[in-house]
Structures are given as structure tokens and as C-alpha cells.
Amino acid sequence: QKVVGSAYGPVIFPPAPVLVFVPAQETLSTTLQLLSVKGADTEELFSSQAVNNQRFEKIFCRKTTLSPTLSATGTCLGIDPDRIALKKIILSGFTIRAKKRHAVVRYMFFNPEDVRWFKPVDLWTKRGRKGHIRESVGTHGSFKAIFDGTLSSNDVICMSLYKRAFPKYMPLTYTAIQY
């Protein structure tokens, strides 16, 4: 899956590799594994005598150096002011009736004005059919749609919507010196 992210930082000239790591954290399970390896009993963890036991404290306080795990790899893209970053949102609805290529869809919209507003946008199904909205039905946002092939009654109807996304800009904050 391809993802493009933006960041404010020093200039990097492409092609430069990008490695994303997830920092490793020591959890209670890794501590319990250390205790079981060293021969300590896990019941010692919860007994009041274990706090005074020096051998337990030495084993419990031992730090392990866990290496971070690689999460993603990629490359840097060139600096291009004309590049547009988009967010994709998928609206989904369910068929009430499906007969051959025609279907009545509900739960995608909840009023007829929205159906008329999104009428030019194409529809698609989870099984690969493509179609478009024909007309609104009723007052609760149901609509008739026509597709390029036969639909089944349990098919999910989807509509992809895109929105331009601007990178978050955090201005440098400073305190002015008062004299």
C-alpha cells in the first residue's frame, strides 16, 4: 500500500531511502520472561517478602536492550509545489432491492438533497461493478442506481470521495524578550 507523507525538516535530495522504526518498549511480559529464565518464581512478584528480597530486585530491575522494529521503508519524493495530497473517504450503502442491473440503495444518504448533490459521482461495488445514481426515492435518502452488470442483493454499494489535504504547519513559537 502506497502512502505519501509530508514533514518539515532539513532538505533531503531524492532518491534517498527512508526507514521508519517503531521504538521497542519493555513490557511486563518481557520482565516475567526474564524472571522465569533466571529461576525466580512468578508468585514472588506479588508477595510482600519479594520486596525485601535482594535477589528478586536485582533480577526485576535488570534492563534489557530491545532493538526497535522496522515498520516501513520507502524513498523521498522530490520537492514539487504542484503535488496535491488527497484524503479518500468511502461512503457505503446497502441494497434494498436488486433486479438485474438496477438497485435501490439506502443508508448511504439520509435526505434527498444529498442524493441530488452527489448524483454526478460514480458508484462501485465490493464485487467490482460500476454504476451511477439515477434518481432519489422517498424522503429518507434512498435512491435508484444502475450498474454495468448483474447485482446480488447482499452486495455493498460504495462511493469514493476525495478532499485535498494540506500538511499541518506548526509555526515556531518563541517568547519575546521584554526589557
Side-chain angles (χ1 to χ4, degrees), residues 107-149:
Y107 297 134
M108 187 178 291
F109 305 111
F110 294 100
N111 52 22
E113 291 82 22
D114 289 342
V115 174
R116 284 192 296 274
W117 179 264
F118 289 104
K119 193 172 180 178
V121 181
D122 291 333
L123 300 173
W124 54 275
T125 66
K126 296 279 185 173
R127 296 185 182 186
R129 300 289 181 207
K130 299 205 180 294
H132 61 274
I133 298 173
R134 289 186 60 197
E135 62 181 342
S136 178
V137 175
T139 60
H140 296 290
S142 299
F143 60 90
K144 290 182 182 178
I146 188 167
F147 291 89
D148 62 352

Side-chain angles (χ1 to χ4, degrees), residues 13-168:
F13 297 102
V18 175
L19 301 174
V20 180
F21 291 95
V22 176
Q25 297 178 354
E26 183 178 359
T27 61
L28 182 61
S29 63
T30 58
T31 306
L32 289 175
Q33 287 173 1
L34 280 174
L35 292 174
S36 64
V37 167
K38 293 295 183 181
D41 190 12
T42 54
E43 293 178 3
E44 275 185 355
L45 282 173
F46 303 106
S47 67
S48 60
Q49 297 173 355
V51 177
N52 298 328
N53 190 354
Q54 291 180 354
R55 182 177 68 86
F56 173 76
E57 287 180 6
K58 286 180 183 177
I59 296 171
F60 186 75
C61 295
R62 172 172 281 185
K63 298 289 182 184
T64 59
T65 56
L66 300 173
S67 60
T69 57
L70 182 65
S71 175
T73 61
T75 59
C76 288
L77 295 174
I79 299 171
D80 184 11
D82 297 330
R83 182 178 296 123
I84 296 175
L86 298 175
K87 283 186 182 180
K88 181 180 181 181
I89 299 170
I90 298 175
L91 300 180
S92 63
F94 299 98
T95 56
I96 301 171
R97 291 182 206 89
K99 184 175 180 183
K100 296 185 181 177
R101 296 176 43 203
H102 302 278
V104 178
V105 181
R106 71 174 175 182
Y107 297 134
M108 187 178 291
F109 305 111
F110 294 100
N111 52 22
E113 291 82 22
D114 289 342
V115 174
R116 284 192 296 274
W117 179 264
F118 289 104
K119 193 172 180 178
V121 181
D122 291 333
L123 300 173
W124 54 275
T125 66
K126 296 279 185 173
R127 296 185 182 186
R129 300 289 181 207
K130 299 205 180 294
H132 61 274
I133 298 173
R134 289 186 60 197
E135 62 181 342
S136 178
V137 175
T139 60
H140 296 290
S142 299
F143 60 90
K144 290 182 182 178
I146 188 167
F147 291 89
D148 62 352
T150 306
L151 290 178
S152 63
S153 60
N154 61 351
D155 211 351
V156 178
I157 313 297
C158 300
M159 176 186 289
S160 297
L161 300 176
Y162 299 93
K163 175 184 176 184
R164 185 170 181 178
F166 295 96
K168 294 181 181 178

